[in-house]
Short mmCIF file of all heavy atoms in Angstrom, two decimals:
data_model
loop_
_atom_site.label_atom_id
_atom_site.label_comp_id
_atom_site.label_asym_id
_atom_site.label_seq_id
_atom_site.Cartn_x
_atom_site.Cartn_y
_atom_site.Cartn_z
N GLN A 151 -274.59 -50.98 -10.71
CA GLN A 151 -274.34 -51.75 -9.54
C GLN A 151 -275.25 -52.91 -9.38
O GLN A 151 -276.36 -52.78 -8.94
CB GLN A 151 -274.50 -50.84 -8.31
CG GLN A 151 -273.58 -49.60 -8.42
CD GLN A 151 -273.58 -48.91 -7.10
OE1 GLN A 151 -274.28 -49.08 -6.15
NE2 GLN A 151 -272.69 -47.87 -7.12
N THR A 170 -275.00 -51.86 -1.88
CA THR A 170 -274.08 -52.05 -2.97
C THR A 170 -272.83 -51.14 -2.72
O THR A 170 -271.87 -51.25 -3.45
CB THR A 170 -274.68 -51.64 -4.27
OG1 THR A 170 -275.19 -50.32 -4.22
CG2 THR A 170 -275.83 -52.55 -4.62
N HIS A 171 -272.95 -50.29 -1.71
CA HIS A 171 -271.81 -49.46 -1.33
C HIS A 171 -272.06 -48.99 0.10
O HIS A 171 -273.15 -49.22 0.65
CB HIS A 171 -271.54 -48.33 -2.30
CG HIS A 171 -272.84 -47.52 -2.65
ND1 HIS A 171 -272.85 -46.52 -3.51
CD2 HIS A 171 -274.12 -47.57 -2.18
CE1 HIS A 171 -274.06 -45.97 -3.66
NE2 HIS A 171 -274.85 -46.60 -2.80
N SER A 173 -272.15 -45.83 0.77
CA SER A 173 -272.68 -44.49 0.70
C SER A 173 -274.04 -44.25 1.40
O SER A 173 -274.29 -43.14 1.84
CB SER A 173 -272.82 -44.05 -0.76
OG SER A 173 -271.58 -44.16 -1.39
N GLN A 176 -273.94 -42.20 4.44
CA GLN A 176 -273.92 -40.76 4.32
C GLN A 176 -275.26 -40.22 4.54
O GLN A 176 -275.47 -39.28 5.40
CB GLN A 176 -273.58 -40.38 2.88
CG GLN A 176 -272.15 -40.47 2.52
CD GLN A 176 -271.98 -39.80 1.13
OE1 GLN A 176 -272.61 -38.80 0.80
NE2 GLN A 176 -271.04 -40.43 0.25
N ARG A 197 -272.14 -56.98 -4.36
CA ARG A 197 -272.62 -56.64 -5.82
C ARG A 197 -272.58 -58.04 -6.57
O ARG A 197 -271.69 -58.78 -6.32
CB ARG A 197 -271.65 -55.71 -6.56
CG ARG A 197 -271.90 -54.24 -6.02
CD ARG A 197 -271.00 -53.37 -6.79
NE ARG A 197 -270.83 -52.10 -6.05
CZ ARG A 197 -270.08 -51.10 -6.34
NH1 ARG A 197 -269.37 -51.20 -7.46
NH2 ARG A 197 -269.97 -50.08 -5.60
N GLN A 211 -265.65 -51.44 2.05
CA GLN A 211 -265.55 -50.10 1.56
C GLN A 211 -265.46 -49.20 2.79
O GLN A 211 -266.01 -49.51 3.88
CB GLN A 211 -266.77 -49.65 0.72
CG GLN A 211 -266.38 -48.93 -0.49
CD GLN A 211 -267.64 -48.58 -1.38
OE1 GLN A 211 -268.70 -48.51 -0.76
NE2 GLN A 211 -267.42 -48.39 -2.58
N GLU A 213 -266.47 -45.33 3.63
CA GLU A 213 -267.05 -44.14 3.17
C GLU A 213 -266.47 -42.95 3.97
O GLU A 213 -266.26 -43.08 5.19
CB GLU A 213 -268.53 -44.19 3.41
CG GLU A 213 -269.43 -43.17 2.71
CD GLU A 213 -269.44 -43.54 1.13
OE1 GLU A 213 -269.06 -44.65 0.78
OE2 GLU A 213 -269.89 -42.70 0.37
N GLY A 214 -266.19 -41.77 3.36
CA GLY A 214 -265.84 -40.64 4.12
C GLY A 214 -266.78 -39.51 3.84
O GLY A 214 -267.33 -39.41 2.69
N PHE A 251 -270.65 -39.71 -10.51
CA PHE A 251 -271.47 -40.43 -9.53
C PHE A 251 -272.67 -39.56 -9.29
O PHE A 251 -272.54 -38.29 -9.24
CB PHE A 251 -270.74 -40.55 -8.15
CG PHE A 251 -269.49 -41.49 -8.32
CD1 PHE A 251 -268.18 -40.94 -8.38
CD2 PHE A 251 -269.68 -42.87 -8.37
CE1 PHE A 251 -267.13 -41.64 -8.49
CE2 PHE A 251 -268.55 -43.63 -8.44
CZ PHE A 251 -267.23 -43.02 -8.52
N PHE A 253 -274.39 -38.89 -6.74
CA PHE A 253 -274.43 -38.14 -5.47
C PHE A 253 -273.28 -37.14 -5.30
O PHE A 253 -273.18 -36.50 -4.19
CB PHE A 253 -274.43 -39.16 -4.27
CG PHE A 253 -273.67 -40.43 -4.60
CD1 PHE A 253 -272.32 -40.49 -4.22
CD2 PHE A 253 -274.24 -41.52 -5.22
CE1 PHE A 253 -271.62 -41.70 -4.43
CE2 PHE A 253 -273.49 -42.64 -5.47
CZ PHE A 253 -272.22 -42.73 -5.06
N THR A 254 -272.52 -36.99 -6.27
CA THR A 254 -271.35 -35.94 -6.12
C THR A 254 -271.33 -35.15 -7.39
O THR A 254 -271.55 -35.63 -8.57
CB THR A 254 -269.97 -36.58 -5.93
OG1 THR A 254 -269.87 -37.73 -6.69
CG2 THR A 254 -269.84 -36.91 -4.39
N GLY A 285 -263.89 -43.82 -5.50
CA GLY A 285 -264.53 -42.58 -6.03
C GLY A 285 -264.60 -41.53 -5.00
O GLY A 285 -264.48 -41.78 -3.78
N CYS A 286 -264.81 -40.25 -5.42
CA CYS A 286 -264.97 -39.20 -4.50
C CYS A 286 -265.68 -38.03 -5.21
O CYS A 286 -265.85 -38.08 -6.41
CB CYS A 286 -263.65 -38.75 -3.90
SG CYS A 286 -262.38 -38.27 -5.18
N GLY A 287 -265.85 -36.88 -4.51
CA GLY A 287 -266.38 -35.73 -5.07
C GLY A 287 -267.07 -34.79 -4.10
O GLY A 287 -266.96 -35.08 -2.91
N ALA A 308 -267.19 -36.05 -0.16
CA ALA A 308 -267.39 -37.56 0.20
C ALA A 308 -266.38 -38.34 -0.65
O ALA A 308 -265.92 -37.96 -1.72
CB ALA A 308 -268.82 -37.91 -0.12
N PHE A 309 -266.10 -39.52 -0.06
CA PHE A 309 -265.29 -40.53 -0.90
C PHE A 309 -265.68 -41.89 -0.37
O PHE A 309 -266.24 -42.10 0.68
CB PHE A 309 -263.74 -40.25 -0.69
CG PHE A 309 -263.30 -40.29 0.78
CD1 PHE A 309 -262.97 -41.47 1.41
CD2 PHE A 309 -263.14 -39.02 1.49
CE1 PHE A 309 -262.52 -41.44 2.70
CE2 PHE A 309 -262.68 -38.99 2.77
CZ PHE A 309 -262.43 -40.24 3.39
N GLY A 310 -265.41 -42.85 -1.28
CA GLY A 310 -265.63 -44.31 -0.95
C GLY A 310 -264.52 -45.14 -1.46
O GLY A 310 -264.30 -45.16 -2.74
N1 DAH B 1 -270.20 -45.35 -3.75
C1 DAH B 1 -269.31 -45.37 -4.92
C2 DAH B 1 -269.08 -46.74 -5.36
O1 DAH B 1 -269.22 -47.71 -4.64
C3 DAH B 1 -267.98 -44.80 -4.40
C4 DAH B 1 -268.15 -43.33 -4.13
C5 DAH B 1 -267.97 -42.42 -5.08
C6 DAH B 1 -268.43 -42.91 -2.90
C7 DAH B 1 -268.05 -41.09 -4.78
C8 DAH B 1 -268.47 -41.58 -2.57
C9 DAH B 1 -268.29 -40.74 -3.52
O2 DAH B 1 -268.78 -41.15 -1.31
O3 DAH B 1 -268.44 -39.32 -3.24
O4 DAH B 1 -268.68 -46.91 -6.41
#
Side-chain angles (χ1 to χ4, degrees):
Q151 304 192 352
T170 59
H171 50 183
S173 304
Q176 283 188 36
R197 286 182 201 176
Q211 224 179 24
E213 197 73 13
F251 297 99
F253 33 92
T254 41
C286 59
F309 56 83

